[in-house]
Amino acid sequence: MKIKLNNPFKNFGRSDVIAIVGVIAGILALVAVYHIAVLQGTFQKSDVEIAFEGAPPINTDQTTEIFVSSNADIAKVDSIFIPIEFNLKNSGDKGLDNVVLSFAFDKQGKHTSNFFDESVYTHQGMMTAQNLRHEQSSTDEFDYSNFTVTKLNIGDSPMIGEGVVAYKMPPALPDNLPVLGLSGLGATVKIQIEADNVAKKTFMVDYRIATMGNIDQLTDWYTHYYAKAVVIEKRNTMSIASYFLKLLFSRESKTAYLVAPEFRSISINGETEWLPVKHDPILRAISFKPYSWSLLFG
């Protein structure tokens, strides 16, 4: 038995061949264009982020809270210098030029330049001093501390620091009040970053002082007192229906960073200033959901 195979090309005409060749040529042209675009960096993205050392990048859509533990030796009238240190990271696919990291402080508060000269402004990481410029400026409302990195290569993440001055507790408050003591002036720092080909990003970071002996005590207080207070406050501002919908659909979470450095005191212009001396204190991130089924009905 013989099987006769049909020739699939017998009905192909010249026009069909030309069409196929045209399709193949078009595909090859697209591949060539894509290859050239890749070589030219057309599909590369530019991005820059800031993060605490060893932590994920912080978000722009909510205020980041930092709780700093102080010790019992710090008097109410004393002030505490809190370092503000971030890794400035090029998280994109190509180098960045003229990266600006700006700290904005309330003019009525105090920060690094109120106590120290320009020599304290340093950085850590693989970056020369010539690659970093620091300038200060001001408006009617804010003092600005501006750092410009002239070149930030892919994957680079130098640490750049400033500082804010806080107080253990407002003097008018009783000794047995559980802890949140920080001057409302200058407690929240507005941080902005931008670079060539990167849109400006704004971050709000709120620094608070908590009188605790160590990181474990600070964690226990935050988890069992502060976080619960936040959850209860959320519930008190919402109806049962609204709260129920939040329980069902909200992915909201709150994250705070806790740190318990060691401090030493110095005298500046007749005032006692406490400075952290431990180089690498533990930075602990704590997250929780601000809604609880147990509070649905009050």
Side-chain angles (χ1 to χ4, degrees):
M1 179 179 179
K2 294 183 179 180
I3 300 176
K4 185 177 181 180
L5 297 176
N6 294 323
N7 183 359
F9 301 104
K10 68 178 183 179
N11 295 322
F12 268 43
R14 182 179 180 182
S15 60
D16 297 314
V17 174
I18 293 174
I20 293 174
V21 171
V23 170
I24 295 173
I27 293 173
L28 292 176
L30 288 174
V31 171
V33 170
Y34 176 81
H35 183 65
I36 292 173
V38 170
L39 292 177
Q40 294 178 341
T42 301
F43 300 112
Q44 293 177 333
K45 66 181 180 68
S46 299
D47 199 10
V48 61
E49 300 171 324
I50 59 173
F52 300 108
E53 187 174 13
I58 66 173
N59 298 320
T60 59
D61 57 353
Q62 61 183 8
T63 298
T64 299
E65 293 182 317
I66 310 293
F67 289 85
V68 182
S69 175
S70 67
N71 58 55
D73 295 330
I74 302 176
K76 288 183 178 181
V77 295
D78 296 344
S79 55
I80 305 169
F81 180 79
I82 303 175
I84 302 174
E85 297 178 329
F86 290 100
N87 285 116
L88 179 67
K89 183 178 181 180
N90 180 351
S91 55
D93 300 319
K94 54 185 177 181
L96 296 174
D97 296 322
N98 302 315
V99 182
V100 178
L101 174 63
S102 177
F103 299 88
F105 302 94
D106 190 299
K107 288 185 72 71
Q108 299 180 71
K110 296 179 180 180
H111 55 97
T112 300
S113 64
N114 294 115
F115 292 95
F116 307 105
D117 60 30
E118 188 69 22
S119 64
V120 304
Y121 290 99
T122 60
H123 70 278
Q124 299 178 25
M126 296 180 62
M127 186 172 61
T128 64
Q130 291 74 24
N131 195 27
L132 178 68
R133 183 173 69 252
H134 177 253
E135 299 172 316
Q136 299 186 67
S137 60
S138 64
T139 63
D140 291 339
E141 296 182 90
F142 295 100
D143 289 326
Y144 292 90
S145 178
N146 305 310
F147 295 84
T148 301
V149 179
T150 56
K151 183 70 174 181
L152 191 64
N153 295 318
I154 301 172
D156 280 357
S157 56
M159 179 179 287
I160 296 177
E162 244 289 351
V164 66
V165 177
Y167 304 88
K168 178 182 175 184
M169 192 177 291
L173 298 178
D175 291 329
N176 60 356
L177 188 74
V179 290
L180 286 190
L182 185 64
S183 168
L185 304 175
T188 300
V189 181
K190 182 170 74 172
I191 302 170
Q192 294 182 316
I193 53 174
E194 60 181 323
D196 292 350
N197 301 319
V198 178
K200 182 183 293 185
K201 297 181 180 181
T202 300
F203 308 86
M204 304 300 292
V205 183
D206 190 12
Y207 288 83
R208 298 168 180 253
I209 296 296
T211 308
M212 296 292 167
N214 54 52
I215 189 65
D216 292 327
Q217 291 180 12
L218 182 60
T219 301
D220 185 71
W221 168 81
Y222 180 85
T223 303
H224 296 100
Y225 175 81
Y226 183 81
K228 286 185 176 179
V230 170
V231 173
I232 292 172
E233 182 180 7
K234 282 269 190 182
R235 178 64 190 91
N236 291 339
T237 61
M238 302 176 67
S239 66
I240 291 179
S242 298
Y243 198 77
F244 180 68
L245 291 176
K246 287 289 187 181
L247 288 169
L248 289 178
F249 302 111
S250 176
R251 296 183 179 180
E252 180 183 352
S253 66
K254 289 184 66 68
T255 299
Y257 294 91
L258 316 181
V259 62
E262 297 174 4
F263 289 93
R264 67 178 175 88
S265 64
I266 61 174
S267 179
I268 302 178
N269 299 326
E271 298 181 0
T272 301
E273 180 80 19
W274 291 81
L275 306 175
V277 295
K278 189 175 180 181
H279 180 64
D280 290 314
I282 298 173
L283 183 68
R284 183 173 293 177
I286 303 290
S287 299
F288 67 92
K289 299 290 185 181
Y291 306 100
S292 172
W293 284 99
S294 64
L295 297 178
L296 177 59
F297 297 104

